[in-house]
Amino acid sequence: MDDLKTPPMRDPRRLLKRMRELMAVQENAQARLDHLTAMIAEEAGWDVCSIYLARQSNALELCATFGLKAEAVHHVRLQPGEGLVGLVARRARPLSTSNARAHPAFSYKPETGEEPFNTFVGVPILRGGRMVGVLTAQTSQERQVATDEIETLQTVAMVLAEIVASGDIVDSEEMAGLDVRQSRPERFQGGAFSGGIARGVAVLFEPHVESARLIADDPAREEERLDTAISSLRIQIDEMLDSGRIPFGGPTRDVLQAYRMFAHDRGWLERLREAVRRGLTAEAAVERVRNENRARLMKAADPTFRERLHDLEDLANRLLRHLNGGAKSAELPDNAIIIARNIGPAELLEFDREKLKGIALEEGSAQSHAAIVAKALGIPLVGRLEGALDQAEDGDPVILDGEFGVLHIRPQLDVTETYDARIQTLSERRLAYAELRGPAVSADGVRIGLHMNAGLLIELMALDETGADGVGLFRTEFQFMVAETLPRLSAQSAVYKSVLDAAGERPVVFRTLDLGGDKVAPFAPSTKEPNPALGWRAIRMGLDRPGLLRYQLRSLILAAAGRPLKVMFPMISAPWEVRAARDMLDRELRHAERAGYVMPSDVKVGIMLETPGMAWALEHAIDTVDFVAVGANDLMQYFFAADRQNSRVSDRYDVLSPAALDLLKRVRDICAEHDTPVSVCGEIASKPLEAAVLIGLGYRSLSMAAPNIGPIKKLVSGLDVEKLGTWLASRLQSPADSLRPLLLQAGEDAGLPREAVENGRGI
Ligand code: PEP
Ligand code: MG
């Protein structure tokens, strides 16, 4: 039994320190790996240490060894599952045995000269959860391998993964064809949620730890950092759960409960601490444990395990953010294309706008506010790109196609060239749209007002460029979502004044704060709510906390000073709400008058029609308002009871169904009967076929993101409004699930311009 005893452990931190020193030495790739194997064998007390790396063919090639025959290097290759090394690779977990030859998976390779070695241990080399190789150690003595020894090798393997993936090794001649960094081009098809095409470099929004920060200088201090970050992570999760303010684009309540459980899971914490004790930085420890979980769970057949993987990954990301001192968004490289699982609108607004060129999400939906913000920023956003995060690496060249919803990672030259041509065509088309600066008039002479939706000051530059008739919706909450504290009266007023200045003679509709639901501001009041979209949001918050709304109304009055002011209240669900909101505005106007402000030259009050309840009570509120704007994003969300942010259901029902169109027609007819101007400002106004149908229903004013104005103006110019109106009128009671296929089929017979229906997507 005596010879089964393990030798006393050496200090793994010394090994890591020596590895770091070695990394600083200039030498070629092969020499570096050779030195590493020798050093690991010496420091950890093994007769043999070898590094096998995966080739693109999946075979594991012996790339460096100390103790086996040198001639075997680059000659011995094992298939995944073949031999002990192959088994480690296939299972993506460590394996040890005191008698290698007796192991059922043993495969004899005489060229290695490994006969004298009995004890074997192999650990996977993982990078981003992918198996890139196997690190093995052997000794002639038959003995048990201690958990400690395996831990040390795993820690070394993590550092090794980064060294191997570094440029000088990957690019070296000996290692050509290694599958260490992903190199294959990948194409993902998702949903196009904000248009445009971007070429740039991938920035994973769950960043990988860089090799320079892998090895700790002071392990005791690292453990402290880890503990502090874990405590703040736990506090943050508790706060999110207790406040009920589950952030948009983030986890749901159930997932948060799971996070809370994991964040207190002793196994997870112990593995993190252990990795730090062995000399890794806290960040590297998180990364290592994440890689192991990822490699293991990605192999699981059961989809619920994969769900769990997402949860664990999110948790690891959060922990990394806490370790970075809560830094919200890292420095972006030029032409950055963010790849993330999901993202909130406030997070998006925090990035450097000069550098951010596109957003690729594994989740996301067309009506989400992240998509709306992306449109506001004029950058493409593509969602539902399942698996993209696993295939991309930071710095990979990518092309994001927001027109067709495609992400290309590491595209080949022919793809890049095709896109260069398309980018050129797009910019020519944009120039052509810019030529259409005049008013939008249909083929049969009907004038359609095209206004823009905005929320950021920079967007207003597009007013002249697009020839928009005005700003149909200014989302005032964007300013609040990026502020740490409630913007002061003067700051609010300054923004509104700049908007009015930029608009000049053109009308601007300011929507009062639409916070709550998916839009969170750091300082906004919050409550515990099971269904935030149906909860205390928008005007409900404004009426219950009048301080916030009154302050905003006062800022608007101040900003207008001598000019017309149009104010619109969001999410009105019943007539009494608009009466109460209007009263508040009247009080503020009286206050302004008493205080001697320069008063607005004219004040108009509108509501956003966003709930079916209000659509049915419209007759009872219409005399209280001067105009109505149909917020079709929310109206359709509530009409179909389908969460606009939930990619599983957001596009499940078609707004071109007769039932939905009938509702929209009813709203427009009531407004017409009362001579009350009405417009549509949800995302449907920016889609060609939907916009055409709205016009066919009688709407004469649409508001949309600036880049859509040109294409819609073009559409309008080819539209026979009367013909379309007649075609629609006889079909609103149709039993069809949607009029879309019928419209596309009817084409010109329904008054649609030919280009609008040629590709089914519109022009
Ligand atoms: C809407 O709901 O249609 C709308 C325009 O408002 P938001 O998208 O900001 O909720
Ligand atoms: Mg809305």
Side-chain angles (χ1 to χ4, degrees):
M1 221 30 220
D2 225 21
D3 60 353
L4 275 181
K5 262 195 9 234
T6 51
M9 244 325 281
R10 308 188 190 195
D11 184 359
R13 292 192 301 248
R14 211 180 85 168
L15 169 57
L16 287 182
K17 189 161 165 277
R18 282 191 61 193
M19 281 179 82
R20 184 162 58 181
E21 284 159 10
L22 185 69
M23 274 148 67
V25 175
Q26 288 289 332
E27 58 184 346
N28 78 30
Q30 187 65 54
R32 177 161 292 186
L33 291 190
D34 291 344
H35 282 142
L36 277 168
T37 50
M39 183 192 294
I40 298 164
E42 184 192 339
E43 282 291 333
W46 295 96
D47 296 333
V48 176
C49 173
S50 312
I51 296 170
Y52 294 80
L53 296 175
R55 292 225 151 247
Q56 273 152 12
S57 61
N58 270 342
L60 289 151
E61 178 172 306
L62 178 65
C63 285
T65 185
F66 173 85
L68 298 183
K69 286 190 187 155
E71 310 87 85
V73 171
H74 297 302
H75 290 291
V76 168
R77 288 190 186 175
L78 294 155
Q79 293 309 314
E82 184 188 355
L84 298 179
V85 171
L87 191 60
V88 173
R90 204 184 62 203
R91 289 191 190 153
R93 58 168 196 258
L95 179 147
S96 69
T97 167
S98 59
N99 185 351
R101 256 157 303 162
H103 194 286
F106 181 75
S107 153
Y108 182 53
K109 296 276 172 193
E111 57 275 44
T112 59
E114 62 183 335
E115 299 81 11
F117 306 112
N118 293 309
T119 302
F120 169 95
V121 55
V123 299
I125 305 174
L126 300 167
R127 189 161 194 276
R130 276 181 351 110
M131 230 286 314
V132 297
V134 173
L135 172 68
T136 66
Q138 290 165 277
T139 191
S140 53
Q141 186 196 19
E142 261 191 58
R143 66 171 180 82
Q144 260 171 1
V145 181
T147 321
D148 261 7
E149 290 179 285
I150 298 179
E151 271 288 335
T152 300
L153 288 175
Q154 282 180 292
T155 306
V156 168
M158 155 124 197
V159 179
L160 211 49
E162 292 304 313
I163 298 178
V164 167
S166 70
D168 51 345
I169 298 228
V170 178
D171 300 341
S172 72
E173 217 176 287
E174 304 91 321
M175 313 294 164
L178 288 182
D179 198 19
V180 175
R181 264 191 87 90
Q182 314 247 43
S183 56
R184 276 184 293 267
E186 300 281 351
R187 179 186 186 278
F188 290 87
Q189 176 70 58
F193 302 151
S194 171
I197 297 175
R199 263 186 74 180
V201 292
V203 175
L204 304 197
F205 196 48
E206 46 140 30
H208 206 71
V209 183
E210 290 156 25
S211 54
R213 288 192 289 116
L214 289 174
I215 303 169
D217 296 322
D218 176 356
R221 157 108 190 79
E222 277 315 295
E223 202 168 336
E224 240 171 68
R225 285 185 65 227
L226 180 68
D227 285 343
T228 314
I230 290 171
S231 310
S232 25
L233 172 73
R234 286 175 175 168
I235 293 171
Q236 185 200 35
I237 295 172
D238 287 348
E239 274 176 4
M240 280 200 282
L241 268 167
D242 298 342
S243 71
R245 225 182 64 199
I246 315 278
F248 167 63
T252 61
R253 196 167 183 83
D254 290 351
V255 172
L256 276 177
Q257 304 273 22
Y259 284 1
R260 171 135 73 183
M261 207 176 74
F262 294 141
H264 289 265
D265 180 83
R266 302 222 348 227
W268 187 63
L269 299 176
E270 213 20 68
R271 280 161 67 206
L272 290 173
R273 289 210 182 98
E274 191 48 45
V276 166
R277 276 181 219 133
R278 291 189 170 270
L280 290 182
T281 56
E283 286 89 347
V286 176
E287 180 81 357
R288 194 189 117 184
V289 173
R290 170 166 63 187
N291 278 343
E292 287 165 16
N293 286 333
R294 202 188 265 179
R296 219 168 301 145
L297 292 172
M298 264 164 54
K299 289 192 178 352
D302 185 340
T304 51
F305 279 109
R306 291 183 65 97
E307 280 291 313
R308 213 189 128 189
L309 168 67
H310 274 314
D311 298 348
L312 274 168
E313 301 236 318
D314 268 6
L315 196 65
N317 288 339
R318 275 168 202 280
L319 193 50
L320 284 175
R321 268 179 244 154
H322 281 283
L323 282 166
N324 284 335
K328 282 177 186 154
S329 48
E331 264 288 294
L332 289 183
D334 286 341
N335 298 320
I337 295 184
I338 302 264
I339 306 183
R341 185 172 164 209
N342 211 340
I343 206 160
E347 273 171 319
L348 244 182
L349 286 167
E350 275 164 19
F351 288 111
D352 180 341
R353 287 173 208 159
E354 291 286 305
K355 296 186 167 170
L356 181 64
K357 295 290 179 250
I359 307 283
L361 301 177
E362 291 202 333
E363 298 178 357
S365 70
Q367 300 87 0
S368 69
H369 283 101
I372 288 169
V373 170
K375 279 191 192 169
L377 297 173
I379 57 172
L381 184 144
V382 177
R384 297 199 205 129
L385 298 161
E386 211 184 311
L389 268 176
D390 288 333
Q391 295 301 328
E393 300 220 16
D394 272 317
D396 275 342
V398 284
I399 296 176
L400 186 68
D401 179 348
E403 304 293 306
F404 289 96
V406 178
L407 170 70
H408 291 274
I409 303 175
R410 302 174 292 273
Q412 277 173 325
L413 192 62
D414 55 337
V415 175
T416 310
E417 284 171 357
T418 311
Y419 270 98
D420 282 345
R422 278 196 52 210
I423 291 170
Q424 176 70 17
T425 316
L426 263 191
S427 78
E428 281 163 14
R429 208 189 286 170
R430 204 166 298 139
L431 285 178
Y433 288 140
E435 295 293 303
L436 306 171
R437 243 172 264 165
V441 181
S442 73
D444 55 342
V446 181
R447 168 82 165 94
I448 307 294
L450 296 186
H451 301 256
M452 69 179 265
N453 294 344
L456 304 172
L457 271 175
I458 48 158
E459 291 178 82
L460 295 168
M461 281 162 56
L463 263 172
D464 287 332
E465 205 178 288
T466 58
D469 290 304
V471 178
L473 166 66
F474 190 83
R475 292 181 163 101
T476 59
E477 60 277 2
F478 282 15
Q479 185 195 6
F480 287 70
M481 283 157 62
V482 290
E484 288 298 324
T485 54
L486 181 72
R488 304 165 74 89
L489 191 78
S490 54
Q492 288 187 43
S493 201
V495 170
Y496 308 145
K497 185 171 174 308
S498 306
V499 174
L500 289 168
D501 290 347
E505 294 297 302
R506 288 162 290 209
V508 178
V509 177
F510 288 99
R511 176 175 73 184
T512 62
L513 275 182
D514 186 14
L515 287 174
D518 58 347
K519 288 185 271 198
V520 283
F523 51 83
S526 63
T527 54
K528 202 171 184 148
E529 294 192 315
N531 291 308
L534 302 179
W536 194 56
R537 48 170 296 201
I539 196 66
R540 302 169 183 181
M541 201 185 266
L543 292 176
D544 296 355
R545 290 285 158 83
L548 201 61
L549 183 54
R550 277 183 38 208
Y551 218 58
Q552 185 178 32
L553 294 171
R554 198 172 296 179
S555 310
L556 285 165
I557 295 168
L558 255 174
R563 295 181 278 196
L565 175 63
K566 288 183 144 195
V567 179
M568 171 158 78
F569 297 108
M571 269 289 286
I572 298 285
S573 305
W576 66 264
E577 280 181 332
V578 63
R579 289 196 296 270
R582 203 176 175 135
D583 279 354
M584 206 182 276
L585 176 62
D586 287 342
R587 260 206 309 273
E588 279 309 311
L589 285 166
R590 285 197 298 273
H591 169 272
E593 206 151 17
R594 278 199 307 275
Y597 290 4
V598 180
M599 297 301 285
S601 58
D602 176 45
V603 178
K604 293 267 186 288
V605 177
I607 53 167
M608 277 204 91
L609 196 134
E610 303 188 275
T611 65
M614 193 59 222
W616 292 101
L618 189 55
E619 277 115 328
H620 310 300
I622 199 139
D623 292 335
T624 328
V625 297
D626 303 306
F627 63 94
V628 172
V630 179
N633 299 334
D634 278 315
L635 183 62
M636 290 300 136
Q637 143 166 276
Y638 300 125
F639 183 72
F640 289 117
D643 187 345
R644 62 192 272 196
Q645 292 174 70
N646 180 340
S647 53
R648 280 207 189 122
V649 299
S650 56
D651 287 338
R652 189 181 175 95
Y653 308 99
D654 195 347
V655 292
L656 296 186
S657 74
L661 297 183
D662 200 33
L663 177 80
L664 292 167
K665 174 97 170 74
R666 174 191 152 82
V667 170
R668 123 72 227 185
D669 289 350
I670 295 171
C671 292
E673 275 161 33
H674 290 79
D675 269 337
T676 306
V678 61
S679 67
V680 178
C681 60
E683 296 306 296
I684 57 169
S686 61
K687 297 186 180 163
L689 195 58
E690 284 81 342
V693 169
L694 290 169
I695 294 168
L697 292 179
Y699 287 94
R700 295 292 174 261
S701 170
L702 305 176
S703 192
M704 64 204 72
N708 298 111
I709 292 182
I712 296 294
K713 197 175 285 182
K714 177 97 182 356
L715 164 99
V716 169
S717 67
L719 209 58
D720 185 332
V721 175
E722 198 182 327
K723 206 176 197 182
L724 178 57
T726 314
W727 189 95
L728 281 170
S730 61
R731 285 166 180 86
L732 287 185
Q733 303 309 322
S734 146
D737 289 329
S738 166
L739 296 187
R740 188 178 302 272
L742 301 177
L743 272 162
L744 292 175
Q745 203 180 6
E748 286 170 284
D749 291 341
L752 296 169
R754 189 176 312 133
E755 320 88 287
V757 290
E758 254 167 11
N759 55 18
R761 300 179 65 249
I763 37 183

